[in-house]
Amino acid sequence: MKIGFIGLGIMGKPMVRNLLKAGHEVLAYDVIQANVDQAVKDGAKAAESSKDVAAQCKLIITMLPNSPHVKSVVMGENGVLEGAQPGTILVDMSSIAPLASKEIFEACEKKGVKMIDAPVSGGEPKAIDGTMSIMVGGDKAIFDEVYDILMSMGGSAVYCGEIGAGNTTKLANQVIVALNIAAVSEAFMLSTKAGVDPIKVFDAIKGGLAGSTVMNAKVPMITEGNFNPGFKIDLHIKDLTNALDTGHGVGAPLPLTSLVMEMMQTLRADGYGQNDHSALAKYYEKITGTEIRK
């Protein structure tokens, strides 16, 4: 199938590769030409604009940083809606505010374009190996229609409800991940300050109730001092901003999320915004003057 793909960043590039591996033809576009060149090198074809993508493809996937970027790409000048024909399907896999998804959906509906929101979890490693978790909101029939395509990029794709439900689910995911990393950082600073080897602590507790995918992924990074980004603090700040805004809008209290947000903002101010979100450990290292290392 011919698929349009807009947004070729850390996540988008490997997602395109997996679509190509599955036998699809991909027409790719990004505002950064080097990203387009890499996609072409991988086997995709280059488009001139988002409008050009929509004019040539009946199925379009967007993978962009935040709500304003998706609005611009879909609703703006030379955007998807300027080139799309009625019946086109837009799968927005960006992690954005649920209210923004609904606004974009309404604009699409007026043009006869069908849209679902399908944000992902798993970061760059799972985007590379095609095992991302995909959370979907919108028309169930559209979800069913594109399910096999989603599964060429992910390990699971779950229908969560009406438009915006995918992004609400992603926000819940991001709250849990952020709080989990903070808890891991706090606990392993405790063991380090008490003189207990953090690797031994990890080996002892990872199989019990405290064990988690987050701990398994992030403790090795923290103890090695490896904060190369799989998912950047700056992007997690974006997600927590959307979570807090959504929580305020629906009356859901998020006090722990607010606290971890302030920790991340401190790290951004210290110049660590482009680090992996496991660098939350650096917050504890800063205030104790002690590193969590094996």
Side-chain angles (χ1 to χ4, degrees), residues 165-184:
N167 273 304
T168 299
T169 304
K170 176 60 186 288
L171 294 182
N173 180 88
Q174 294 303 83
V175 166
I176 292 168
V177 170
L179 270 58
N180 204 334
I181 296 174
V184 164

Side-chain angles (χ1 to χ4, degrees), residues 123-142:
E124 184 182 16
K126 289 187 177 292
I128 291 171
D129 62 23
T131 60
M132 302 181 301
S133 297
I134 305 172
M135 302 146 258
V136 182
D139 188 333
K140 177 65 160 53
I142 302 302

Side-chain angles (χ1 to χ4, degrees), residues 187-196 284 287-292:
F188 281 82
M189 179 55 73
L190 169 65
S191 70
T192 299
K193 292 290 284 183
V196 181
Y284 290 90
I287 60 179
T288 63
T290 302
E291 291 186 335
I292 304 168

Side-chain angles (χ1 to χ4, degrees), residues 66-78:
N66 204 354
S67 306
H69 305 91
V70 183
K71 288 183 182 180
S72 176
V73 161
V74 177
M75 302 157 61
E77 185 178 356
N78 283 321

